Amino acid sequence: MSLASISIISAALILFGVFYLILINLNHNLDLLYKTPQMQVNCLPELTDEQVEAVKTEIANNQYIESYEEVSKKEAFEKLKQYLDTEKKDLGGSDILEGYDESMMFVSFTVKVKDPQNSASVAKELESLAGVDNVRYSQKTIDFILQVSNWVKIVSFVLIGLLLIISLFIISNTIKLTVFARRKEINIMKYIGATDWFIRWPFVFEGVLMGFLGAVIAFVLVAYIYGFAQPRLSEQFSGGFEMVQFGGVWSTLILIYVGISALIGASGSVMSIRKHLHV
């Protein structure tokens, strides 16, 4: 019965751990996606180097901007030629730019805002700068990602809560079975004068020990599964999905495991033995 209890505890915690790691990775990637949208600040083509430098200074001093990258006219021209050579080969590729040079392009800045929710106000500030032609960004995309992220976090919280309750129910009932299997021994100990807590403590200790062993087995298996899957999935979804390193979540997971197993092991034993003490 003890072996069966440890096995069931491990199975319940493995299921909980796998689901927990899936949701952690999903939320992590949604947060990354939320911070990804960038703002494109396009300067007027006729700006001098001094005027471009003035725009750059204003961007650098903006407290809401985390980072920025300048795209010179030459870089913009090279990117345009590369785009034509890869995407518009049927139209002649970069050959259609024959006779043109980088002077036809304009300087731009790729800006990353600290908090995407401030994008609208930052865009207005940048558009008001002298020499800035326009600012491009997608507020609808930012709002959509934020809304999806909030809903995923709510659903994750509810699902983890439900799975936790189910796991606790399974573990508690499993421990009750081990106590029930020894009901005769409990009755005999009561008849010969043993106190309630003298009878309880061995069962409490056994419940905690079984829960702890089940948690250790579950943690080792989940760590092995995640360690096996993480590099392979990261490679398969390279550039589109970033998996959290196990080192960043193992401490939280093991605390959850130990807390659940010890608490339910002890409380399950105490509750299960209670009715057998009344003889």
Side-chain angles (χ1 to χ4, degrees):
M1 287 302 299
S2 296
L3 183 60
S5 298
I6 293 172
S7 300
I8 292 174
I9 290 170
S10 298
L13 291 178
I14 288 171
L15 180 62
F16 173 81
V18 169
F19 191 75
Y20 172 78
L21 290 173
I22 290 173
L23 292 176
I24 285 291
N25 278 280
L26 184 60
N27 281 313
H28 173 70
N29 280 274
L30 280 172
D31 288 339
L32 290 179
L33 188 63
Y34 174 61
K35 296 176 181 178
T36 298
Q38 296 177 329
M39 196 173 290
Q40 191 75 21
V41 181
N42 299 321
C43 297
L44 294 169
E46 62 271 15
L47 289 188
T48 63
D49 292 342
E50 291 76 14
Q51 291 172 318
V52 171
E53 194 63 31
V55 174
K56 184 196 296 187
T57 302
E58 291 290 339
I59 293 175
N61 293 335
N62 193 303
Q63 60 179 331
Y64 299 108
I65 294 176
E66 181 179 333
S67 61
Y68 67 91
E69 180 181 352
E70 181 181 356
V71 181
S72 65
K73 292 184 177 182
K74 183 177 180 181
E75 290 172 333
F77 190 67
E78 292 299 324
K79 286 182 179 180
L80 178 59
K81 290 199 298 183
Q82 185 178 3
Y83 170 76
L84 293 173
D85 285 335
T86 55
E87 302 293 335
K88 302 295 182 181
K89 287 184 178 180
D90 55 329
L91 298 178
S94 60
D95 292 339
I96 63 176
L97 294 176
E98 187 175 352
Y100 295 95
D101 58 21
E102 60 191 53
S103 61
M104 63 177 285
M105 307 303 293
F106 52 83
V107 177
S108 64
F109 295 90
T110 303
V111 174
K112 186 175 182 180
V113 182
K114 293 179 181 178
D115 186 353
Q117 294 188 69
N118 296 327
S119 295
S121 59
V122 172
K124 287 182 179 179
E125 289 184 31
L126 296 178
E127 285 178 340
S128 65
L129 296 178
V132 173
D133 185 16
N134 59 73
V135 177
R136 296 182 180 180
Y137 75 102
S138 179
Q139 185 64 43
K140 289 184 178 180
T141 301
I142 295 172
D143 293 339
F144 176 75
I145 295 173
L146 179 61
Q147 188 176 11
V148 171
S149 179
N150 290 335
W151 273 107
V152 168
K153 288 177 181 178
I154 293 172
V155 173
S156 300
F157 180 78
V158 173
L159 290 179
I160 287 179
L162 289 175
L163 193 57
L164 181 60
I165 293 172
I166 293 171
S167 300
L168 298 181
F169 179 77
I170 293 172
I171 294 171
S172 178
N173 280 278
T174 302
I175 293 173
K176 286 181 181 179
L177 292 176
T178 63
V179 174
F180 182 77
R182 297 178 184 174
R183 64 191 183 282
K184 292 183 180 179
E185 287 87 342
I186 296 172
N187 292 338
I188 292 172
M189 293 175 72
K190 281 292 292 182
Y191 282 131
I192 63 175
T195 63
D196 290 350
W197 275 109
F198 182 84
I199 298 172
R200 280 194 186 105
W201 277 118
F203 286 97
V204 172
F205 178 77
E206 183 182 22
V208 172
L209 183 61
M210 287 192 300
F212 180 75
L213 290 175
V216 169
I217 294 171
F219 180 79
V220 170
L221 289 175
V222 168
Y224 175 79
I225 293 170
Y226 194 81
F228 178 81
Q230 193 266 337
R232 290 164 176 78
L233 291 176
S234 295
E235 182 179 352
Q236 183 176 353
F237 298 106
S238 178
F241 191 85
E242 178 183 311
M243 291 192 70
V244 179
Q245 294 294 325
F246 190 71
V249 295
W250 74 268
S251 56
T252 304
L253 186 61
I254 200 168
L255 284 175
I256 294 174
Y257 273 4
V258 172
I260 292 174
S261 58
L263 177 63
I264 299 306
S267 59
S269 296
V270 171
M271 288 167 33
S272 303
I273 200 176
R274 183 185 302 167
K275 67 177 181 180
H276 299 297
L277 293 174
H278 301 293
V279 295

